């Protein structure tokens, strides 16, 4: 199996690097200065034990690679970029006949819960990947994954549910590549739990590191509101005990010397000044479900709105104090309370 990593940033670059180091064929898909760095120098991948130079081939898109029947597509772009990526890759021909959408498996190694639904419109075989893996991509050509003994936990399963031989083969390859990769029949149950944890990403992006009690309280409010909305919607999600049992002692942060420890994916988007942020598909998912089920979600609505402004105006992380953000959220919560 050859792995086409669509979006070789923090998550995709780490998955691609580890697969390559384990002897698997990998193609890295990137754009802009990151692609240029990968093309000219390869991917520089830093882990707790060492720094590796990954000479895997790099391309900018589907026009630059000939797809074969044994290829596996790994979608690792931010959700706001998924539609364009799916549109580009699904119609590409595969050697022997048919298109990628008809013949190839597609894994969604992304935050949020919308990507799999988007993918299923284009691909017959879609798989979810719940990513528990602190990784950082702040400079072109550089990716760092500071965890051990496993680089990360990638719970995998067929979408919307179940498992098959393909995902079991993928999981075996990931296990050979320093990941813990349990095959689960209910992968979205795990991804909804990860969604709850990701709701605090916007707080970190807006206010900076969650070191103050006030910032941590905002993150807790966002998560509590998210749980209430999922429960009202009847959506199952793993609880804290299940998550802790899976992660305990398996993914511990051990930063390498000289490598900056980055924040969440949303924090990294603002740090790189990309102009976009995935809050619409994290906090915005809770807002959407809340509106569908009549549950106000003022905390996540405010976080999503302010994070979007920060991204569009290319503000650096920490551009607003926790106190100022709390005041905005309290005002929104007050106006949404039934009288």
């Amino acid at each position: 199996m050859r792995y086409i990593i669509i979006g070789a940033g923090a998550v995709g670059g780490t998955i691609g690097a580890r697969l390559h180091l384990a002897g698997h064929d990998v193609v890295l898909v990137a754009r802009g200065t990151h692609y240029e760095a990968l093309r000219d120098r390869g991917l520089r991948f830093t882990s707790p034990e060492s720094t590796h130079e990954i000479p895997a081939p790099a391309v900018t898109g589907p026009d630059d690679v000939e797809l074969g029947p044994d290829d596996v597509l790994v979608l690792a772009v931010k959700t706001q970029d998924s539609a364009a990526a799916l549109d580009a890759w699904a119609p590409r021909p595969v050697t022997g006949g048919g298109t990628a959408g008809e013949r190839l498996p597609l894994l969604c190694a992304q935050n949020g819960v919308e990507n799999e639904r988007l993918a299923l419109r284009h691909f017959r075989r879609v798989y979810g990947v719940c990513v528990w893996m602190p990784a950082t991509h702040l400079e072109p050509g550089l990716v760092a994954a500071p965890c051990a003994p496993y680089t990360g936990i990638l719970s995998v399963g067929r979408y919307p549910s179940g498992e098959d031989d393909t995902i079991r083969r993928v999981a075996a390859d990931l296990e050979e590549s320093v990941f813990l990769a349990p095959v689960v029949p209910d992968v979205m149950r795990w991804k909804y739990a990860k969604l709850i944890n990701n709701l605090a990403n916007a707080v970190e992006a807006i206010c900076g590191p969650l070191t103050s009690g006030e910032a941590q309280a905002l993150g807790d409010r966002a998560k509590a509101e998210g749980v209430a909305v999922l429960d009202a919607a009847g959506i199952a999600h793993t609880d804290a005990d299940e998550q802790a049992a899976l992660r305990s002692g398996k993914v511990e942060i051990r930063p390498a010397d000289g490598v900056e420890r980055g924040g969440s994916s949303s924090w990294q988007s603002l740090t790189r000044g990309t102009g976009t942020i995935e809050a619409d598909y994290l906090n915005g998912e809770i807002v959407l479900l809340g509106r569908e089920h009549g549950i106000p979600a003022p905390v996540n609505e405010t976080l999503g709105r302010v994070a979007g402004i920060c991204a569009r105006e290319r503000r650096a992380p920490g551009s607003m104090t926790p106190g100022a953000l709390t005041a905005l959220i309290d005002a929104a919560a007050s106006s949404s309370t039934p009288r």
Side-chain angles (χ1 to χ4, degrees):
M1 300 171 78
R2 180 178 66 163
Y3 291 88
I4 313 294
I5 311 295
I6 304 170
V11 169
T14 297
I15 293 173
R18 281 300 192 191
L19 285 167
H20 176 86
L21 289 169
H24 300 285
D25 289 335
V26 172
V27 175
L28 303 176
V29 183
R31 57 190 178 183
T33 56
H34 188 44
Y35 160 72
E36 293 170 0
L38 299 183
R39 177 197 62 196
D40 296 341
R41 302 184 297 276
L43 175 65
R44 188 174 179 84
F45 171 68
T46 299
S47 65
E49 72 272 12
S50 62
T51 295
H52 311 267
E53 305 295 337
I54 309 297
V59 301
T60 59
D63 290 342
D64 300 328
V65 59
E66 183 176 336
L67 297 177
D70 293 327
D71 287 338
V72 175
L73 305 182
V74 180
L75 188 64
V77 300
K78 297 291 193 302
T79 307
Q80 62 267 29
D81 298 319
S82 286
L86 293 165
D87 284 344
W89 285 89
R92 295 301 300 171
V94 176
T95 302
T99 66
E102 293 166 341
R103 296 189 60 190
L104 300 185
L106 179 108
L107 279 66
C108 296
Q110 302 159 283
N111 287 334
V113 294
E114 181 66 13
N115 297 289
E116 288 79 6
R117 291 186 69 251
L118 291 171
L120 204 58
R121 299 175 187 274
H122 298 266
F123 285 81
R124 293 176 180 173
R125 300 160 63 197
V126 175
Y127 302 83
V129 184
C130 182
V131 179
W132 295 96
M133 183 174 66
T136 302
H137 165 53
L138 297 178
E139 298 179 39
L142 305 179
V143 170
C147 289
Y150 291 99
T151 300
I153 301 176
L154 306 175
S155 300
V156 297
R158 187 146 190 173
Y159 179 78
S161 62
E163 57 186 81
D164 59 19
D165 288 341
T166 295
I167 200 60
R168 284 188 283 269
R169 288 179 61 198
V170 169
D173 287 350
L174 292 171
E175 293 271 4
E176 291 176 356
S177 308
V178 204
F179 295 106
L180 185 63
V183 178
V184 295
D186 53 355
V187 68
M188 297 310 294
R189 183 168 166 266
W190 290 90
K191 294 201 73 167
Y192 272 104
K194 179 71 185 312
L195 170 68
I196 294 299
N197 283 275
N198 287 147
L199 297 177
N201 288 9
V203 179
E204 184 185 37
I206 297 165
C207 301
L210 303 181
T211 54
S212 73
E214 196 167 14
Q216 292 174 11
L218 287 175
D220 291 342
R221 287 175 67 181
K223 294 176 187 179
E225 186 179 85
V227 169
V229 168
L230 292 189
D231 289 347
I235 295 175
H237 50 94
T238 57
D239 59 28
D241 290 341
E242 286 180 277
Q243 296 168 45
L246 179 64
R247 299 198 303 270
S248 180
K250 302 179 181 72
V251 179
E252 299 176 351
I253 294 178
R254 302 176 188 174
D257 291 340
V259 177
E260 179 184 357
R261 167 73 178 102
S264 70
S265 56
S266 298
W267 180 91
Q268 293 180 49
S269 291
L270 292 192
T271 299
R272 295 199 309 274
T274 62
T276 66
I277 197 167
E278 60 188 340
D280 281 348
Y281 298 96
L282 300 177
N283 309 90
E285 182 69 28
I286 298 302
V287 175
L288 171 63
L289 289 169
R291 289 171 179 169
E292 288 179 341
H293 295 276
I295 307 295
V299 178
N300 284 284
E301 184 173 354
T302 304
L303 288 175
R305 176 174 57 82
V306 176
I309 292 171
C310 291
R312 289 190 294 274
E313 295 182 355
R314 288 179 165 75
R315 300 182 190 176
S319 63
M320 181 178 290
T321 66
L325 183 57
T326 298
L328 289 177
I329 289 173
D330 287 345
S334 177
S335 65
S336 68
T337 301
R339 298 182 183 278

